[in-house]
Amino acid sequence: MRNRIAAIAAAAALTVSAAVGLAAPASADPVPGNPNQFYAYCAVDLLGVPLNCASTDAEHASHICRYVATGVGLGLDCIQR
């Protein structure tokens, strides 16, 4: 039983990592040294929270983003440059 649970957990982890890898936009420049992150331009609200992010090149980027798995699907995790 434990082997079956471990196999299911490993398969789920591979599925999530594959989905995150495929979800990265092709037009965005990847961050050097970290293939899971990409450059994006994000509008921010009054509190500085990034909203409405779009992938872009390194020259026009305001944020560095990556896709993260959440309880409801994929989400964006962005930090200001």
Side-chain angles (χ1 to χ4, degrees):
M1 185 67 170
R2 288 185 183 167
N3 289 339
R4 182 187 293 176
I5 293 171
I8 292 171
L14 286 175
T15 302
V16 168
S17 64
V20 170
L22 292 174
S27 62
D29 288 343
V31 175
N34 197 337
N36 295 330
Q37 294 181 337
F38 58 93
Y39 292 107
Y41 180 81
C42 301
V44 295
D45 66 7
L46 293 176
L47 300 174
V49 176
L51 304 170
N52 205 17
C53 297
S55 60
T56 187
D57 57 6
E59 183 179 335
H60 298 100
S62 63
H63 290 76
I64 295 175
C65 298
R66 67 185 174 115
Y67 285 101
V68 294
T70 66
V72 293
L74 288 178
L76 274 179
D77 178 27
C78 298
I79 56 171
Q80 192 168 4
R81 288 181 69 189

